Amino acid sequence: MRTTTIHQLYDPSELRRLMALAPGGPLSIRQLAARSGMKKSRLGYMLTRGPYRVSEAEAERIALILEVKKGHLFAPIEHERVHEREGLKVASEHSLKMQEASHKSWARTLNRTARTTPARNALAERWRREAREMHPDGTEEQIEQAAESLRSAYYADLARRSAEARRVKGRLQREQDERKRRRLAARAAELGRELQEVGDDAAELDAA
């Protein structure tokens, strides 16, 4: 049996955070998909509802783009296809360990604002840089106003994409529920026919 190597994403929210803080500016799903060679729809599902698995090459490209170690985002799973459930269990254990480490890290942090300040400053400087490129002759006050508008547009886009992801997830759930309802209805009809046949057979025996 051929052994394959796949990588499981620890935490989609961490990947989203790193995309927002990507070197050179925030990356959208479309941009990261294009640069990593993945389909936009597949990356979008990975960030919203799973599955959270990628190939080793894809994991390496994403880590390289975001300038982080591959192990910060992904856990390697080496398994034979017949052992896929066991592989997923291993990935789940890795994910829980990462969550535990993250919670402990934040528990040791008294000043959370100070810890997150560098990330916020990096984003703010990115928007100022974009504002200066758009308005090279603008005053500092005008640059700050433009940067604030860019910030508002960025978070509005995040909210829009989040709402879109929830809408897609809801539609998929409704479709899944409908398919389940139809299967149950079909099974109930089948059982009804079987009970009718049993009843008919019993009636024939009584008549005999």
Side-chain angles (χ1 to χ4, degrees), residues 63-128:
L64 182 64
I65 292 167
L66 299 177
E67 295 186 5
V68 297
K69 293 182 178 180
K70 184 172 59 177
H72 181 77
L73 284 171
F74 301 98
I77 311 171
E78 295 184 0
H79 65 95
E80 295 180 349
R81 292 188 183 278
V82 294
H83 294 149
E84 185 167 346
R85 288 185 180 274
E86 182 178 351
L88 291 176
K89 180 180 178 182
V90 171
S92 177
E93 291 174 352
H94 276 292
S95 178
L96 290 173
K97 287 181 180 178
M98 287 295 292
Q99 291 180 34
E100 178 187 2
S102 176
H103 288 311
K104 287 182 177 179
S105 176
W106 281 109
R108 290 191 294 267
T109 302
L110 292 178
N111 191 336
R112 298 194 171 202
T113 300
R115 176 170 172 173
T116 57
T117 294
R120 292 197 304 274
N121 288 344
L123 278 175
E125 184 54 36
R126 167 64 181 177
W127 291 319
R128 292 190 190 97

Side-chain angles (χ1 to χ4, degrees), residues 11-25:
D11 184 359
S13 62
E14 176 64 8
L15 177 54
R16 281 190 175 277
R17 187 185 72 83
L18 291 173
M19 288 169 61
L21 300 175

